[in-house]
Amino acid sequence: MSVNEERTVTIQDILEDEELQEAYAVLAGSDPDNCSYPQGYVKRQAVFACNTCTPRGVEPAGLCLACTNHCHDGHDIFELYTKRNFRCDCGNSKFGVFRCQLSPGKDRQNAKNHYNHNFHGCYCTCDRPYPDTEDQVNEDMIQCIICEDWYHPRHLGCTVEDSEELQEMVCETCMNKAPFLWTYATHIAEPPVVKVSPCKAEVEVNKEEDKEPDDKRMDEPCKNGGEGSSTSPSCQEKQATNGRTACKRTHQEMTGLPVKNQDKTVYCRLRELKTQGLERAREGAVFWPYHWRAKLCTCVSCKRAYVDAGVQFLLDESDTVLAYENRGTIEQGTASLDSLLMSSLSTLDRVQQLEIVYQFNEMQSELMAFLRQLADEGKVVTAEAIHQFFGELMSRKRRQMNS
């Protein structure tokens, strides 16, 4: 059976079934009928792999929702949840003579796509399938937001917090690829286990002497002429040619205070956090709360560090899976509202129909704008938020009628 099952699923079904809710949230943001290839590298979409066409041992390939339904119906399909910046591979050179039925004129390969063992049905550091019939432990897997691989909680190397406040997880491997995230984890992430850094006394001495050990802070975005990056090019050149030579840093650079550079002042939040003398053990996966991305430093040097580590998407809160799911829910919700309106209008006369349509469109526009704002900010659409929206809407209507 295709992913888009040939049966009627009611809103009540979705509300009562948690698995259906998850599937609806993932699939609602992707087009089930039109191949996404013409859109280029889609910011985020539901992605699948076909074990029938590209089994283990051949190059991995990914499919959009529409091609999974139309071109690979009846095949052995792996559901990969969502992937960022992915372009549909269906029918390209990886599929031999097989051609896409929906968008046949494709390039031979999509060079910017990123693949991992998920595309061959394997997950986690244990490289096992999911579901795994040989695994005696029945547990849901958790996706890392950076590498987008899926992990068993018992293989994350940390205690898994069961909290609705925790939205995203970064595995230990990805934390080490972007080591500056450990500093943020000390202050933002869960669990909040911190200790006084053993280097605190040494940092105080360095502040007085206005210098720093040669081998310290190699992984920290630092300032160089007011901007700086993860060890400035001039520092790297000197260290490469003379192992005993290091860049001397100013007092402001070591303390995280704003650094004046000609006519502008550069502030680095990461450096400020570094000076607080707290440190977290650099081991295990890290769980992050809602809106943690908004707390990342956006100075020029830190932005450069994100690009160098390949995690620049962390600055985009609309990159989150939650934002993607909210957008899909909004789009599907708009279609449902339109259907409800048309069925209700049949019982009204022409004047009443026009009045209702006008008021409905006005309300719908305001509601969609409100929901899109929540989606872009990565916020959860709660019952309280909806009640507040309609409460404010009714208050405005009453004021208009009384004026």
Side-chain angles (χ1 to χ4, degrees):
M1 181 172 291
S2 66
V3 175
N4 200 28
E5 295 185 353
E6 294 297 329
R7 70 182 183 88
T8 301
V9 179
T10 66
I11 295 297
Q12 189 64 28
D13 290 334
I14 295 174
L15 293 175
E16 294 177 353
D17 192 311
E18 185 174 344
E19 290 187 4
L20 272 179
Q21 289 180 34
E22 294 178 357
Y24 177 81
V26 173
L27 300 181
S30 297
D31 191 334
D33 300 312
N34 300 292
C35 177
S36 65
Y37 180 85
Q39 301 176 37
Y41 292 88
V42 179
K43 190 171 187 177
R44 183 169 293 281
Q45 65 175 316
V47 174
F48 305 81
C50 182
N51 192 39
T52 303
C53 298
T54 54
R56 197 164 191 171
V58 303
E59 283 190 276
L63 313 170
C64 68
L65 175 61
C67 287
T68 302
N69 284 336
H70 295 275
C71 306
H72 300 265
D73 187 21
H75 292 190
D76 183 14
I77 298 295
F78 298 133
E79 299 182 29
L80 307 183
Y81 201 48
T82 70
K83 299 290 183 182
R84 70 169 57 86
N85 299 329
F86 197 88
R87 196 174 196 185
C88 181
D89 287 319
C90 179
N92 67 13
S93 63
K94 296 184 177 184
F95 290 81
V97 297
F98 183 89
R99 290 291 175 265
C100 177
Q101 301 173 23
L102 302 179
S103 183
K106 296 181 177 178
D107 293 339
R108 290 181 55 80
Q109 292 195 15
N110 297 312
K112 295 181 181 180
N113 281 355
H114 292 283
Y115 307 91
N116 58 18
H117 61 170
N118 294 172
F119 289 82
H120 286 138
C122 295
Y123 310 87
C124 191
T125 54
C126 60
D127 198 36
R128 296 292 301 170
Y130 181 85
D132 188 350
T133 56
E134 298 179 7
D135 191 353
Q136 301 301 314
V137 181
N138 183 22
E139 59 181 355
D140 293 331
M141 303 186 81
I142 304 172
Q143 188 180 38
C144 170
I145 64 166
I146 293 181
C147 66
E148 298 189 304
D149 196 0
W150 291 82
Y151 296 86
H152 296 102
R154 63 185 184 273
H155 294 153
L156 288 175
C158 69
T159 301
V160 177
E161 299 291 323
D162 185 15
S163 171
E164 294 182 357
E165 298 300 318
L166 300 179
Q167 177 188 10
E168 299 185 310
M169 182 274 287
V170 177
C171 70
E172 181 179 348
T173 299
C174 289
M175 289 292 296
N176 290 329
K177 289 180 179 178
F180 48 82
L181 289 179
W182 289 112
T183 298
Y184 289 106
T186 299
H187 300 270
I188 301 174
E190 296 289 341
V193 179
V194 298
K195 61 182 179 180
V196 177
S197 171
C199 299
K200 185 177 182 181
E202 184 179 11
V203 171
E204 293 299 326
V205 172
N206 291 334
K207 286 182 181 179
E208 295 177 4
E209 297 180 356
D210 197 29
K211 62 182 181 180
E212 191 171 21
D214 296 350
D215 57 349
K216 283 196 63 186
R217 299 188 179 185
M218 295 299 290
D219 63 343
E220 172 193 353
C222 63
K223 291 182 174 57
N224 176 38
E227 294 186 358
S229 60
S230 301
T231 308
S232 64
S234 59
C235 289
Q236 294 174 344
E237 181 178 354
K238 289 181 180 180
Q239 291 166 349
T241 57
N242 185 349
R244 294 173 297 177
T245 303
C247 285
K248 184 176 179 180
R249 301 176 186 174
T250 66
H251 176 72
Q252 291 97 328
E253 289 176 328
M254 291 192 301
T255 58
L257 296 174
V259 179
K260 293 183 178 180
N261 180 22
Q262 297 177 348
D263 296 329
K264 65 179 181 179
T265 297
V266 179
Y267 170 79
C268 179
R269 185 176 187 191
L270 176 63
R271 180 171 292 281
E272 180 185 37
L273 294 177
K274 279 274 191 177
T275 65
Q276 297 183 17
L278 298 176
E279 188 174 303
R280 177 191 179 111
R282 298 191 172 197
E283 57 185 23
V286 175
F287 287 82
W288 305 84
Y290 290 111
H291 313 309
W292 72 278
R293 300 186 185 209
K295 299 180 181 180
L296 298 176
C297 181
T298 57
C299 74
V300 174
S301 59
C302 281
K303 286 183 177 179
R304 188 179 300 123
Y306 302 141
V307 173
D308 291 342
V311 296
Q312 60 270 27
F313 52 81
L314 291 179
L315 295 180
D316 182 5
E317 291 199 55
S318 66
D319 166 79
T320 65
V321 173
L322 177 62
Y324 163 83
E325 292 179 348
N326 283 345
R327 285 194 297 271
T329 301
I330 290 170
E331 292 171 1
Q332 294 296 322
T334 301
S336 298
L337 286 172
D338 290 341
S339 177
L340 177 63
L341 174 64
M342 294 308 296
S343 61
S344 301
L345 289 178
S346 60
T347 61
L348 304 175
D349 61 38
R350 182 64 176 172
V351 175
Q352 291 174 320
Q353 288 178 350
L354 293 176
E355 180 65 22
I356 291 296
V357 168
Y358 174 78
Q359 294 185 18
F360 180 86
N361 287 339
E362 185 179 17
M363 180 275 293
Q364 185 182 45
S365 297
E366 293 187 35
L367 177 60
M368 291 304 106
F370 171 73
L371 293 176
R372 286 195 180 91
Q373 181 181 353
L374 294 182
D376 291 340
E377 294 174 357
K379 294 181 180 179
V380 179
V381 181
T382 63
E384 291 76 13
I386 297 298
H387 287 316
Q388 180 181 355
F389 167 81
F390 280 106
E392 295 175 352
L393 181 65
M394 293 302 296
S395 296
R396 290 198 300 272
K397 294 297 183 184
R398 283 193 291 268
R399 288 196 297 269
Q400 291 174 3
M401 293 177 64
N402 294 331
S403 60

